[in-house]
Amino acid sequence: MEFTVSTDDRLDVVDVTDRVVGAVPENADTGTLTVFVEHTTAGVVINEAEPRLLDDVRAFLDGLVPDEGWNHDRIDDNADSHLRALLLGPSTTVPVVDGSLALGRWQSVLVIDCDGPRERTVRVGYTNASTER
Ligand code: ZN
């Protein structure tokens, strides 16, 4: 299945944990859930969705990559967005145990848009462990 995320800022973090939990199939047993963003300037990670930490994440990514001076800027002026996104990666995997996501107490699934505001598409797929044997 898939869902869309609307972002509000150029660099924005959206907690999608509830939507990912809702994407676990009813017949899920034990396996993995893959969460994937189909974009080159956004990423998905697992971390704590504490508001001040999310401010820190934005400041960290902003400071880590200079905004200007990249070759790709001659094409569409968003090299900094691509470079921030490649540090994050386009997917993450969460274990599913007895039909439930096995996230830790403080873990949330976060979509990080590095070139917003935009609509982002998030794909979620369940793989049953028994089919992998
Ligand atoms: Zn680009």
Side-chain angles (χ1 to χ4, degrees):
M1 65 86 69
E2 66 179 57
F3 60 84
T4 58
V5 173
S6 296
T7 60
D8 298 323
D9 297 311
R10 179 126 200 274
L11 190 49
D12 201 3
V13 184
V14 181
D15 183 353
V16 295
T17 308
D18 289 347
R19 280 178 275 184
V20 171
V21 167
V24 178
E26 282 184 21
N27 61 353
D29 181 13
T30 293
T32 54
L33 202 72
T34 300
V35 184
F36 177 83
V37 287
E38 54 173 41
H39 306 287
T40 59
T41 55
V44 59
V45 299
I46 294 175
N47 214 289
E48 184 174 348
E50 190 280 315
R52 290 181 190 197
L53 177 64
L54 300 186
D55 287 343
D56 292 338
V57 168
R58 283 189 288 269
F60 173 66
L61 289 171
D62 188 47
L64 208 54
V65 179
D67 292 341
E68 295 174 3
W70 305 105
N71 289 318
H72 179 73
D73 288 341
R74 282 178 261 167
I75 307 296
D76 61 359
D77 202 29
N78 69 349
D80 57 335
S81 305
H82 290 279
L83 296 172
R84 290 181 183 112
L86 78 81
L87 296 172
L88 303 169
S91 68
T92 193
T93 303
V94 187
V96 176
V97 178
D98 297 331
S100 297
L101 277 190
L103 285 168
R105 173 77 179 86
W106 301 107
Q107 288 183 314
S108 295
V109 183
L110 308 172
V111 168
I112 303 183
D113 192 343
C114 300
D115 200 23
R118 288 173 188 252
E119 292 266 303
R120 297 301 198 168
T121 301
V122 181
R123 294 192 185 279
V124 183
Y126 172 73
T127 303
N128 195 310
S130 64
T131 62
E132 294 176 338
R133 289 184 195 127

